[in-house]
Amino acid sequence: MVTIIGNVKPEDDYTHPLGPEENFNESVYFNFFDREKQMGGFIRMGNRANEGHAEMTVIVYQSDGSALFNYKRPQISHNDGWDAGGLKVEVLVPGEKIRTTFVGSVVYLADPREMREPSVAFKENPHKKVRLDLVHEGVGPIYGHVAEPGGAGSQNDFARAHYEQHMKVTGTLQVEDGPVLEITGHGLRDHSWGPRYWQSTPSYRWITGNFGDDIGMVLSVVGGRVGGVFHRGPDELIRITEAELDTSYEGDTNYHQGLTAKVKLENGESHTIVGKVTGFIPLRNRRSGMFTHIGEGMTEYTLDGQRKGYGLSEYLDQAE
């Protein structure tokens, strides 16, 4: 049985009763990175049944700097599972083992930065059929918190209930009629439900990485608040108590290309994490005239100058 830190239950891996809020969202997210093939990406499905649609994102970063990408808002009318737009999530063993599959079309982006103008990028780049089939198995504890509707924090418009877990990932990717590529690596998953607007937080930095089955990390910086954890194997979780984050950007853009994080853990340890973005795509979200930039970077990390790891660095900012 997986170790759980917090008031999460294994059966929380399934969907929950649809709340009354117009913006009720139940989302699952899985990132994955194969260090040998220098490729990775993430998939996300957010059910917004009260708004009549889901939000589905698929990104695969390739070793040559290109990316395969799609974003859809397929119609849904219920919150009974995640199965829309070609993406499906199956709970194989609650709390421990999840299968994700995507069969559908993506846009091939030789330069993923073209996604700064989505309509142009989708129109002017070729589209390809892909088959992605992954199994995610927990290598670290589940950690998070579930707040009840109407309780403390229940008005949070970003994640009333939320948990995360470091994973190992195996599976396959096929593009068009090309070879079936084996994927073996690590990643992180998260699951949240409750009301959500992407515009409800001014900015955040969410930095995830895995260095093997035995070590993974998440660093979260939201305004002046620092959070996050290191996991050590399947049972141990050590909280990050302090962090200094320095980021370098491409020219005068808000496209991050590198970072250095100096962190302190609650057990007294100090660590330095240096990240180099090896694949980047700028995404955005619009609602009621507000524009949100979400920069997604596949990132190679070096822990304390020695150990290599891979993961995702996500930088969110609201437009001026």
Side-chain angles (χ1 to χ4, degrees):
M1 174 64 72
V2 66
T3 296
I4 297 177
I5 299 172
N7 66 342
V8 181
K9 302 181 294 294
E11 54 266 34
D12 281 325
D13 270 353
Y14 299 100
T15 54
H16 295 79
L18 185 62
E21 303 92 346
E22 179 187 7
N23 63 326
F24 184 92
N25 168 84
E26 182 149 16
S27 67
V28 284
Y29 166 98
F30 301 82
N31 66 34
F32 59 93
F33 302 94
D34 185 321
R35 69 173 65 208
E36 297 299 326
K37 292 185 174 63
Q38 292 289 294
M39 64 180 294
F42 71 82
I43 57 177
R44 179 184 180 274
M45 174 76 82
N47 287 345
R48 292 182 174 271
N50 289 337
E51 297 180 69
H53 68 264
E55 296 173 327
M56 187 278 293
T57 305
V58 176
I59 295 176
V60 179
Y61 300 95
Q62 303 192 101
S63 59
D64 62 358
S66 64
L68 305 167
F69 173 76
N70 204 353
Y71 173 81
K72 291 182 180 180
R73 286 187 170 184
Q75 291 185 343
I76 60 171
S77 58
H78 57 77
N79 192 44
D80 296 340
W82 299 276
D83 186 0
L87 178 62
K88 185 175 182 180
V89 177
E90 299 175 77
V91 178
L92 302 180
V93 181
E96 299 183 27
K97 193 173 183 179
I98 312 289
R99 183 185 183 198
T100 60
T101 56
F102 174 74
V103 179
S105 177
V106 295
V107 61
Y108 168 76
L109 300 165
D111 178 7
R113 289 158 185 77
E114 290 186 29
M115 195 49 64
R116 60 183 172 269
E117 295 294 342
S119 60
V120 176
F122 273 98
K123 186 180 300 183
E124 296 186 354
N125 288 284
H127 291 244
K128 298 186 177 186
K129 299 288 186 181
V130 303
R131 301 180 67 91
L132 183 64
D133 189 339
L134 302 174
V135 174
H136 313 258
E137 299 180 74
V139 294
I142 287 177
Y143 55 95
H145 180 72
V146 178
E148 294 299 323
S154 65
Q155 300 306 310
N156 185 327
D157 277 344
F158 206 76
R160 179 171 67 210
H162 176 88
Y163 61 88
E164 299 176 348
Q165 186 182 25
H166 287 84
M167 317 293 284
K168 64 180 179 181
V169 186
T170 56
T172 58
L173 170 69
Q174 185 179 26
V175 181
E176 294 288 342
D177 295 322
V180 177
L181 299 177
E182 300 288 335
I183 294 174
T184 303
H186 293 86
L188 181 99
R189 71 166 175 135
D190 79 18
H191 180 186
S192 65
W193 62 98
R196 167 172 288 195
Y197 286 133
W198 290 102
Q199 288 70 31
S200 63
T201 184
S203 70
Y204 69 66
R205 310 294 184 242
W206 190 58
I207 297 164
T208 77
N210 283 273
F211 301 89
D213 284 359
D214 57 327
I215 299 179
M217 60 91 182
V218 174
L219 172 62
S220 172
V221 181
V222 183
R225 302 196 316 274
V226 171
V229 297
F230 269 55
H231 94 82
R232 298 260 173 78
D235 302 313
E236 186 178 11
L237 205 67
I238 308 168
R239 190 168 59 90
I240 294 173
T241 56
E242 297 179 36
E244 295 179 10
L245 177 63
D246 292 317
T247 303
S248 61
Y249 296 88
E250 299 178 13
D252 59 356
T253 73
N254 57 353
Y255 299 175
H256 64 286
Q257 62 181 5
L259 62 92
T260 299
K262 296 181 179 180
V263 302
K264 291 185 178 180
L265 309 185
E266 62 184 346
N267 65 357
E269 294 179 17
S270 295
H271 297 282
T272 299
I273 304 153
V274 177
K276 178 179 70 173
V277 175
T278 60
F280 181 84
I281 185 168
L283 303 182
R284 66 189 191 186
N285 182 278
R286 283 182 170 175
R287 180 181 286 269
S288 302
M290 294 185 66
F291 171 90
T292 304
H293 163 79
I294 310 171
E296 307 281 8
M298 175 176 168
T299 307
E300 178 187 83
Y301 299 105
T302 304
L303 177 62
D304 296 327
Q306 298 179 341
R307 192 163 176 181
K308 295 288 186 182
Y310 288 84
L312 189 102
S313 52
E314 180 175 276
Y315 278 45
L316 178 148
D317 294 290
Q318 305 299 342
E320 293 294 337

